[in-house]
Amino acid sequence: MTIERSLVVIKPDGVQRGIIGELISRFEKRGLKIVGMKMLWVSRDFAEKHYPANMIPILGGKSLDNFKEFGIETDKTREELGESAREDLLKFTTESPVVAMVFEGVHAVKAIRKMVGPTSPHVAPAGTIRGDYAHLSMGHCTIEGMGGRNLIHASGNKEEAEKEIALWFSVDELFNYKRADEKHVIKE
Ligand code: IDP
Ligand code: MG
Protein backbone atom coordinates (compact mmCIF):
# COMPACT_ATOMS: atom_id res chain seq x y z
CA MET A 1 0.00 0.00 0.00
CA THR A 2 2.87 2.38 0.72
CA ILE A 3 4.86 1.32 -2.33
CA GLU A 4 3.80 3.10 -5.50
CA ARG A 5 4.85 3.48 -9.10
CA SER A 6 4.87 6.82 -10.90
CA LEU A 7 5.51 7.94 -14.48
CA VAL A 8 8.34 10.39 -15.14
CA VAL A 9 9.06 11.76 -18.61
CA ILE A 10 12.09 13.87 -19.47
CA LYS A 11 10.55 16.31 -21.94
CA PRO A 12 12.24 17.47 -25.18
CA ASP A 13 13.92 20.46 -23.45
CA GLY A 14 15.66 18.12 -20.97
CA VAL A 15 16.71 15.77 -23.77
CA GLN A 16 17.97 18.55 -26.07
CA ARG A 17 19.83 20.29 -23.25
CA GLY A 18 21.81 17.09 -22.62
CA ILE A 19 20.85 16.66 -18.98
CA ILE A 20 19.09 13.29 -19.18
CA GLY A 21 21.72 11.61 -17.00
CA GLU A 22 21.74 14.37 -14.38
CA LEU A 23 17.98 14.23 -14.02
CA ILE A 24 17.79 10.44 -13.79
CA SER A 25 20.61 10.44 -11.29
CA ARG A 26 18.62 12.62 -8.86
CA PHE A 27 15.89 9.98 -8.63
CA GLU A 28 18.33 7.07 -8.40
CA LYS A 29 20.26 8.74 -5.58
CA ARG A 30 17.07 9.23 -3.63
CA GLY A 31 16.53 5.47 -3.68
CA LEU A 32 13.73 5.45 -6.24
CA LYS A 33 13.98 2.35 -8.39
CA ILE A 34 13.72 2.45 -12.18
CA VAL A 35 11.31 -0.34 -13.16
CA GLY A 36 10.76 0.81 -16.76
CA MET A 37 12.71 3.08 -19.12
CA LYS A 38 12.74 3.96 -22.82
CA MET A 39 13.52 6.75 -25.30
CA LEU A 40 10.76 7.40 -27.79
CA TRP A 41 9.55 10.06 -30.17
CA VAL A 42 5.84 10.40 -29.49
CA SER A 43 3.29 11.02 -32.21
CA ARG A 44 0.80 13.89 -32.21
CA ASP A 45 -1.94 11.35 -31.54
CA PHE A 46 -0.13 9.95 -28.51
CA ALA A 47 0.66 13.43 -27.16
CA GLU A 48 -3.05 14.27 -27.38
CA LYS A 49 -3.81 11.23 -25.23
CA HIS A 50 -1.22 12.22 -22.63
CA TYR A 51 -2.40 15.85 -22.59
CA PRO A 52 -6.16 15.53 -23.27
CA ALA A 53 -8.39 18.45 -24.23
CA ASN A 54 -9.93 18.57 -20.74
CA MET A 55 -6.64 20.16 -19.60
CA ILE A 56 -7.40 23.34 -21.55
CA PRO A 57 -9.01 25.26 -18.64
CA ILE A 58 -6.17 24.21 -16.30
CA LEU A 59 -3.52 25.52 -18.69
CA GLY A 60 -5.49 28.72 -19.31
CA GLY A 61 -5.85 29.20 -15.56
CA LYS A 62 -2.12 28.78 -15.00
CA SER A 63 -1.40 31.42 -17.65
CA LEU A 64 -3.94 33.83 -16.14
CA ASP A 65 -2.54 33.37 -12.61
CA ASN A 66 0.88 34.23 -13.95
CA PHE A 67 -0.38 37.28 -15.86
CA LYS A 68 -2.08 38.52 -12.68
CA GLU A 69 1.11 38.06 -10.67
CA PHE A 70 3.06 40.28 -13.06
CA GLY A 71 0.27 42.68 -14.09
CA ILE A 72 0.24 41.45 -17.69
CA GLU A 73 -2.96 42.44 -19.47
CA THR A 74 -4.79 40.20 -21.91
CA ASP A 75 -8.05 40.37 -23.83
CA LYS A 76 -8.08 36.59 -24.22
CA THR A 77 -10.31 34.27 -22.19
CA ARG A 78 -9.07 31.41 -20.02
CA GLU A 79 -10.35 28.99 -22.65
CA GLU A 80 -8.53 30.79 -25.50
CA LEU A 81 -5.27 30.95 -23.57
CA GLY A 82 -5.61 27.28 -22.59
CA GLU A 83 -6.27 26.23 -26.16
CA SER A 84 -3.18 27.94 -27.52
CA ALA A 85 -1.05 26.74 -24.58
CA ARG A 86 -2.15 23.14 -25.25
CA GLU A 87 -1.45 23.42 -28.97
CA ASP A 88 2.07 24.74 -28.19
CA LEU A 89 2.51 21.96 -25.62
CA LEU A 90 1.61 19.29 -28.18
CA LYS A 91 4.12 20.73 -30.69
CA PHE A 92 6.78 20.94 -28.00
CA THR A 93 6.16 17.38 -26.79
CA THR A 94 6.66 16.01 -30.31
CA GLU A 95 9.67 18.13 -31.36
CA SER A 96 12.32 15.59 -30.28
CA PRO A 97 12.50 12.24 -28.47
CA VAL A 98 11.65 12.05 -24.79
CA VAL A 99 12.80 9.62 -22.09
CA ALA A 100 9.97 7.88 -20.26
CA MET A 101 10.48 6.05 -17.00
CA VAL A 102 8.53 4.35 -14.27
CA PHE A 103 9.95 4.75 -10.78
CA GLU A 104 8.99 2.65 -7.79
CA GLY A 105 9.31 3.64 -4.16
CA VAL A 106 7.61 4.51 -0.89
CA HIS A 107 4.86 7.07 -1.56
CA ALA A 108 6.65 7.52 -4.88
CA VAL A 109 4.03 9.74 -6.54
CA LYS A 110 4.24 12.45 -3.90
CA ALA A 111 7.98 12.10 -3.34
CA ILE A 112 8.66 12.59 -7.06
CA ARG A 113 6.31 15.58 -7.41
CA LYS A 114 8.22 17.25 -4.56
CA MET A 115 11.50 16.69 -6.39
CA VAL A 116 10.08 18.04 -9.66
CA GLY A 117 8.53 21.16 -8.11
CA PRO A 118 5.54 23.28 -9.14
CA THR A 119 4.53 23.62 -12.80
CA SER A 120 6.02 27.05 -13.40
CA PRO A 121 9.80 27.12 -12.92
CA HIS A 122 9.73 30.81 -11.93
CA VAL A 123 8.24 29.83 -8.56
CA ALA A 124 9.86 26.40 -8.23
CA PRO A 125 12.09 26.30 -5.13
CA ALA A 126 15.83 25.78 -5.48
CA GLY A 127 16.53 22.09 -4.96
CA THR A 128 13.68 21.03 -7.21
CA ILE A 129 14.38 20.03 -10.81
CA ARG A 130 12.26 22.82 -12.28
CA GLY A 131 13.78 25.29 -9.80
CA ASP A 132 17.39 24.25 -10.43
CA TYR A 133 17.38 23.90 -14.21
CA ALA A 134 14.88 26.54 -15.42
CA HIS A 135 13.52 29.95 -14.49
CA LEU A 136 10.86 30.87 -17.09
CA SER A 137 7.15 31.07 -16.30
CA MET A 138 4.18 29.32 -17.85
CA GLY A 139 2.67 32.72 -18.71
CA HIS A 140 5.83 33.57 -20.63
CA CYS A 141 5.60 30.26 -22.51
CA THR A 142 1.99 31.04 -23.44
CA ILE A 143 2.87 34.54 -24.66
CA GLU A 144 5.85 33.24 -26.66
CA GLY A 145 3.95 30.23 -28.02
CA MET A 146 6.87 27.98 -27.06
CA GLY A 147 5.15 25.21 -25.07
CA GLY A 148 5.49 24.81 -21.31
CA ARG A 149 9.22 24.06 -21.14
CA ASN A 150 9.61 22.78 -17.59
CA LEU A 151 11.86 19.79 -18.29
CA ILE A 152 9.96 16.96 -16.76
CA HIS A 153 6.55 15.35 -16.43
CA ALA A 154 5.58 13.50 -13.26
CA SER A 155 2.23 11.92 -12.44
CA GLY A 156 0.13 14.22 -10.24
CA ASN A 157 -1.59 11.58 -8.09
CA LYS A 158 -1.96 7.80 -7.75
CA GLU A 159 -4.92 7.55 -10.11
CA GLU A 160 -3.12 9.60 -12.78
CA ALA A 161 0.00 7.45 -12.28
CA GLU A 162 -1.90 4.23 -12.95
CA LYS A 163 -3.52 5.59 -16.10
CA GLU A 164 -0.30 7.14 -17.39
CA ILE A 165 1.83 4.04 -16.77
CA ALA A 166 -0.73 1.97 -18.70
CA LEU A 167 -0.63 4.51 -21.55
CA TRP A 168 3.17 4.68 -21.83
CA PHE A 169 4.29 1.14 -20.92
CA SER A 170 3.15 -2.37 -21.72
CA VAL A 171 3.27 -4.99 -18.95
CA ASP A 172 6.36 -6.67 -20.43
CA GLU A 173 8.28 -3.36 -20.38
CA LEU A 174 8.04 -3.18 -16.57
CA PHE A 175 10.38 -5.15 -14.31
CA ASN A 176 10.56 -6.52 -10.77
CA TYR A 177 14.07 -6.79 -9.35
CA LYS A 178 15.99 -5.85 -6.21
CA ARG A 179 18.42 -2.99 -5.84
CA ALA A 180 21.40 -3.76 -3.59
CA ASP A 181 20.55 -0.87 -1.26
CA GLU A 182 16.87 -1.68 -1.06
CA LYS A 183 16.81 -2.75 2.58
CA HIS A 184 17.98 0.74 3.53
CA VAL A 185 15.82 2.81 1.21
CA ILE A 186 12.65 0.75 0.67
CA LYS A 187 12.42 -2.46 2.71
CA GLU A 188 14.11 -5.82 3.31
P1 IDP B 1 2.25 19.61 -14.14
O1 IDP B 1 3.19 19.16 -15.24
O2 IDP B 1 2.99 20.39 -13.08
O3 IDP B 1 1.42 18.50 -13.55
P2 IDP B 1 -0.16 20.48 -15.53
O4 IDP B 1 -1.10 21.51 -15.01
O5 IDP B 1 -0.61 19.05 -15.48
O6 IDP B 1 1.24 20.67 -14.78
O7 IDP B 1 0.19 20.89 -17.03
C1 IDP B 1 0.85 19.99 -17.89
C2 IDP B 1 1.93 20.73 -18.64
O8 IDP B 1 1.35 21.74 -19.43
C3 IDP B 1 2.94 21.48 -17.78
O9 IDP B 1 3.94 20.64 -17.24
C4 IDP B 1 3.48 22.49 -18.76
O10 IDP B 1 4.44 21.89 -19.62
C5 IDP B 1 2.24 22.83 -19.57
N1 IDP B 1 1.56 24.04 -19.06
C6 IDP B 1 0.83 24.17 -17.95
N2 IDP B 1 0.36 25.43 -17.81
C7 IDP B 1 0.81 26.11 -18.89
C8 IDP B 1 0.67 27.48 -19.32
O11 IDP B 1 0.03 28.32 -18.70
N3 IDP B 1 1.32 27.79 -20.48
C9 IDP B 1 2.04 26.92 -21.19
N4 IDP B 1 2.18 25.64 -20.83
C10 IDP B 1 1.57 25.24 -19.69
MG1 MG C 1 -0.10 17.36 -14.42
Side-chain angles (χ1 to χ4, degrees), residues 4 35 46 58-59 69 74 76 80 85 93 103 110 114 127 141 143-144 152 162 176 180:
E4 300 169 357
V35 296
F46 186 90
I58 298 167
L59 304 197
E69 185 184 347
T74 180
K76 298 219 172 80
E80 286 169 337
T93 306
F103 280 99
K110 200 166 183 184
K114 276 240 163 208
C141 292
I143 291 168
E144 294 299 324
I152 211 147
E162 273 164 31
N176 288 310

Side-chain angles (χ1 to χ4, degrees), residues 11 55 58-59 62-63 89 113 119 130 138 142 148 150:
K11 298 186 186 190
M55 286 187 65
I58 298 167
L59 304 197
K62 288 193 175 176
S63 296
L89 179 64
R113 283 295 285 204
T119 308
R130 288 168 175 169
M138 286 301 108
T142 303
N150 57 5

